[in-house]
Amino acid sequence: MRGPWRAALALALHIGFFLAPIALVLGLLAISAFTFRYDQSSGMKAALAAVAVGALFAIGLRAVLRSRVRPRGVRLDRAEQPQLWRMVESIAADAAAPLPDEIRITSDPTANIREDTALLGLRIRTRYLELGLPLLAALNVSELRAVVAHELGRLTGRSKLTVTAYRASASVERTVDGLTGGPVKWMFTGYARLFTAIAATTGHDLELAADAIAVREAGTRAAATALRKRIAIELGWQEYSDEYLSMAKAVGHTPDVLLGFRNFMEHPTRKPELAERVKKAIAEGEDGSRTHLPARRRIEAMKRIKVSGRDIDDRPAFALLRNPRKSVPDLEDRLMVDGLKRRLGWPELARLAGAAHVAERAALLSSAVAQSGLPVEPAIAGILPAIHRGQGHDLINPVLNPGLCPERIDEAAVDTLTELLGSAVVDALICARRAHHELDWGGPSTVRLANGQPLDPDRLIRPAVADPRLIPGLHRALVDLGVPMTHARRPAAEPEPSLAGIVSPVQCTGGNYDLLVTDRGLVLLPSSASTTKRLLAGTLARFRKAEQEQLAELAATPIGELRERPGAQWVDSRDVARARLDQDRAGWSLSLELYLDEYAVSELDDIGVQDGEDGVSELVLRSTADGVEHGDPYRGLGELMGARMNLDETDDTNEGEGPGF
């Protein structure tokens, strides 16, 4: 069953979701009224039962119906950007689609229509058309027109029933994601699974209808190209953020985001590489989902649509903005993280970020040398002889991940020592004004010597680190390059742990704790949440909001401050010998074997740590039935423990839900 019939069935079920409890309560009231005529006592009991059932349904519906869509990004006024608004209005008029209430620019590499609705999608409050800033950088005007036409086309479709069913499905899924644990979520999740299963194909029907509108508005070529580019933009934006926008955060300056992304996407090395990845993704259908058809099927459907040819407007999409030289930087500033300093060009930004990075890594090398306990000076002139004596692994061991597989330790030691020593060499040259980092949109910044020649630190350092007999030759090469051999950075301070996620609460001997998983260890904070509060959080919006705010406040608090709170416990990753995770129907338990000798850096009071054999102690944490999560604690726990983690899943685990790694 497809098309309007399936949408009609989904909407009938959705309307029944509201009518069924009303009918039940009215039925109970009718029974009480009828019974009251013959037996007042029984009639009163029936009436009380009707009131109790009605109150429970009212509380549950209130929790479900409070889900809201909040505006994101920067709002574009019609008076400020008339050309972009005229394009949207023209498309909406041609497609007989409702006009969005607001156009907003976001930092996401996509475009979509977000609707704030009531009654789980049956009534519309506000429509937002969101356009990602990366799209304005990488698309031309015709391609942007196709993208906007596709998004507005989702609001009209071939049938109003299909549009409404799709909107309701999106609202139901959003509501499930927003509910915490408790009876309301347990029951509503079951309904959501049934409803989305019935409404499963409405998204596909709308996708094809929206593509047809995009082809009519922009032409087949522009619509198909825009679809391919949207995939490339999503792939490229992640790399661009990791490799280039991270520079802005490192040095605290605002970059030219849109200009940089356009240079990134058009680079001769990046462009064919991204094109190949997009081609592979389309061929394998990796971009398909329950609500979105694979791009390959969509492009094939576009080619079958007969439309008259349209001229391609190949101006960059940001040309639709009024005075782009002024409006684009203003949008970037409003979307960037607060606290960044004045705007810098990309070449200077890359130079400063490169210098800051190698200085940080050189300080980490000095810290490793200091923690190794070896009588070695942290200067390059002191480290090279130590490597020559075969002490390289001992020098770098303090900064290696304690969760590494034993088979990978030697390889990791060579890689880490090569990277840190190479950074120290480059840092020494930069401080001596004999080298600098040069921006490269095709890959990592190049280290450029004063004479204009590039320097590859890895190629220079790795052979001697892998074979210490080559150290004398490396020493001569560094002297010839003019590296100050006495250069050294002060040891880096202990890094602040980075939070991965929270599980609240977990059980440990003596009470309940909030478990905070970081990249350096575990924090256990005494939990004040009772089972009653958890159940209320799943039922009443006020309690749910308070709980979410409490977890968000914990996540925003520096780990150092949390460790100073009364009753806080700290399990340092370096003290963990082994970890075992057992999963069953009731939940999970995590057993940690700890080295708590005089060298331990964990901070544990008497919270149920049991002494074991060979000086190894054991700490056991157990999940609770009403526990909630914030962030991604299980992924963080898996990364923290690494090869030390042993997973044991019973046969019953497959019937329930357990943490995933």
Side-chain angles (χ1 to χ4, degrees):
M1 180 170 55
R2 295 181 59 84
W5 291 106
R6 188 161 193 144
L9 179 60
L11 288 176
L13 175 66
H14 203 48
I15 295 172
F17 173 79
F18 296 99
L19 294 182
I22 296 174
L24 177 60
V25 173
L26 291 177
L28 289 174
L29 289 174
I31 292 173
S32 67
F34 179 79
T35 307
F36 190 81
R37 296 170 56 187
Y38 302 98
D39 185 347
Q40 293 185 0
S41 177
S42 298
M44 289 297 296
K45 292 178 180 179
L48 289 175
V51 171
V53 171
L56 289 175
F57 277 126
I59 292 172
L61 284 174
R62 186 172 183 270
V64 168
L65 297 178
R66 286 178 66 91
S67 175
R68 296 293 302 268
V69 169
R70 304 297 180 185
R72 304 184 302 186
V74 179
R75 182 173 179 268
L76 296 184
D77 291 331
R78 183 182 274 100
E80 294 177 356
Q81 300 296 341
Q83 192 173 355
L84 181 61
W85 267 99
R86 280 197 297 270
M87 183 188 76
V88 174
E89 290 168 346
S90 169
I91 295 172
D94 293 344
L99 191 66
D101 300 287
E102 294 184 12
I103 299 177
R104 305 187 74 90
I105 299 296
T106 71
S107 57
D108 294 333
T110 186
N112 57 57
I113 289 283
R114 296 176 73 239
E115 295 177 303
D116 182 24
T117 61
L119 297 176
L120 294 178
L122 295 180
R123 185 172 70 84
I124 301 168
R125 293 191 183 103
T126 310
R127 288 190 180 92
Y128 305 102
L129 171 60
E130 296 181 347
L131 299 176
L133 191 66
L135 296 181
L136 298 181
L139 299 180
N140 62 34
V141 172
S142 291
E143 292 160 353
L144 181 65
R145 185 178 184 88
V147 167
V148 173
H150 174 83
E151 297 306 321
L152 293 180
R154 285 179 170 274
L155 302 178
T156 175
R158 298 188 178 100
S159 164
K160 289 185 177 180
L161 287 176
T162 303
V163 175
T164 306
Y166 178 75
R167 183 189 305 120
S169 179
S171 180
V172 166
E173 291 181 356
R174 184 172 60 251
T175 301
V176 169
D177 292 339
L179 290 173
T180 58
V184 172
K185 181 164 186 176
W186 301 336
M187 291 186 290
F188 190 73
T189 299
Y191 167 75
R193 289 174 178 170
L194 175 62
F195 179 82
T196 53
I198 295 175
T201 61
T202 56
H204 292 178
D205 294 338
L206 282 181
E207 191 94 70
L208 294 175
D211 283 338
I213 293 174
V215 169
R216 290 201 303 270
E217 288 295 321
T220 304
R221 179 183 171 188
T225 303
L227 177 55
R228 294 188 184 97
K229 279 192 175 182
R230 288 183 70 169
I231 300 173
I233 289 169
E234 291 186 15
L235 294 173
W237 182 254
Q238 185 60 54
E239 294 182 9
Y240 175 70
S241 299
D242 293 342
E243 297 179 24
Y244 296 93
L245 290 184
S246 58
M247 296 181 186
K249 185 177 180 181
V251 299
H253 284 275
T254 303
D256 294 318
V257 181
L258 189 145
L259 177 62
F261 187 58
R262 189 170 181 85
N263 290 334
F264 174 90
M265 295 292 289
E266 295 296 327
H267 191 273
T269 301
R270 303 280 188 183
K271 193 171 183 178
E273 177 187 325
L274 281 172
E276 189 62 31
R277 291 172 62 188
V278 170
K279 182 179 179 181
K280 181 180 178 181
I282 292 176
E284 296 177 355
E286 295 177 352
D287 57 329
S289 68
R290 187 188 64 79
T291 56
H292 293 278
L293 284 169
R296 175 175 50 81
R297 288 184 56 186
R298 293 174 58 190
I299 292 174
E300 291 172 354
M302 288 179 186
K303 292 179 179 178
R304 292 194 293 268
I305 300 174
K306 303 298 182 182
V307 295
S308 57
R310 280 183 170 270
D311 295 333
I312 299 295
D313 188 342
D314 57 3
R315 292 178 299 160
F318 60 78
L320 291 175
L321 300 177
R322 173 183 286 177
N323 191 7
R325 291 180 180 272
K326 180 180 181 299
S327 59
V328 168
D330 179 63
L331 286 172
E332 293 175 348
D333 290 341
R334 294 164 70 183
L335 288 171
M336 290 294 288
V337 179
D338 293 335
L340 295 182
K341 302 175 186 175
R342 62 182 176 84
R343 183 176 295 269
L344 283 182
W346 278 106
E348 182 63 18
L349 198 67
R351 184 189 296 258
L352 293 177
H357 175 73
V358 294
E360 176 187 337
R361 306 306 284 173
L364 184 60
L365 177 61
S366 297
S367 179
V369 172
Q371 295 177 40
S372 70
L374 296 174
V376 175
E377 290 293 326
I380 298 173
I383 294 173
L384 291 182
I387 299 175
H388 193 226
R389 293 192 299 266
Q391 297 175 319
H393 286 201
D394 296 328
L395 283 178
I396 209 65
N397 186 62
V399 296
L400 293 180
N401 184 349
L404 282 172
C405 297
E407 301 80 18
R408 292 190 55 198
I409 290 178
D410 289 343
E411 178 186 354
V414 171
D415 291 343
T416 305
L417 184 54
T418 298
E419 184 213 349
L420 297 188
L421 182 56
S423 295
V425 168
V426 175
D427 184 44
L429 288 170
I430 290 175
C431 290
R433 299 183 180 277
R434 292 173 179 167
H436 66 274
H437 285 84
E438 185 177 89
L439 177 68
D440 184 0
W441 290 114
S445 297
T446 302
V447 178
R448 187 74 61 181
L449 297 173
N451 61 9
Q453 294 298 315
L455 173 67
D456 185 346
D458 187 270
R459 185 176 180 182
L460 176 66
I461 302 295
R462 184 176 293 276
V465 171
D467 184 357
R469 293 174 298 178
L470 302 179
I471 286 294
L474 174 60
H475 186 279
R476 289 192 297 271
L478 296 180
V479 171
D480 291 342
L481 286 173
V483 177
M485 303 300 289
T486 58
H487 177 80
R489 288 279 180 181
R490 296 180 60 182
E494 189 78 10
E496 176 75 8
S498 175
L499 182 69
I502 304 173
V503 182
S504 173
V506 298
Q507 292 179 340
C508 186
T509 304
N512 288 345
Y513 291 83
D514 292 331
L515 172 64
L516 287 80
V517 181
T518 78
D519 61 342
R520 302 186 64 80
L522 307 176
V523 180
L524 293 166
L525 296 175
S527 177
S528 60
S530 64
T531 300
T532 302
K533 285 184 178 180
R534 296 292 179 188
L535 293 176
L536 288 175
T539 305
L540 299 177
R542 179 168 61 87
F543 285 93
R544 182 177 75 246
K545 183 179 180 181
E547 181 182 51
Q548 291 173 341
E549 290 176 350
Q550 182 180 9
L551 292 181
E553 181 182 352
L554 275 181
T557 305
I559 300 299
E561 292 184 19
L562 296 177
R563 289 173 58 180
E564 297 297 326
R565 291 188 177 182
Q569 314 291 326
W570 169 251
V571 181
D572 198 284
S573 174
R574 292 167 289 186
D575 295 336
V576 179
R578 286 177 295 275
R580 179 183 180 86
L581 185 74
D582 297 301
Q583 303 180 66
D584 53 31
R585 285 182 176 179
W588 55 264
S589 65
L590 177 66
S591 302
L592 301 173
E593 296 184 13
L594 307 173
Y595 293 120
L596 297 181
D597 51 23
E598 64 271 21
Y599 302 106
V601 289
S602 296
E603 299 169 1
L604 293 169
D605 298 331
D606 186 15
I607 63 166
V609 178
Q610 301 175 358
D611 295 332
E613 299 178 356
D614 302 325
V616 178
S617 302
E618 185 178 36
L619 176 67
V620 179
L621 306 174
R622 292 183 176 86
S623 65
T624 59
D626 56 350
V628 295
E629 301 162 11
H630 180 89
D632 196 350
Y634 299 120
R635 177 192 58 79
L637 188 61
E639 294 178 355
L640 178 69
M641 298 302 170
R644 295 170 295 180
M645 177 74 81
N646 180 26
L647 298 178
D648 181 28
E649 300 184 17
T650 64
D651 293 337
D652 294 335
T653 302
N654 295 330
E655 300 178 15
E657 293 183 2
F661 294 94

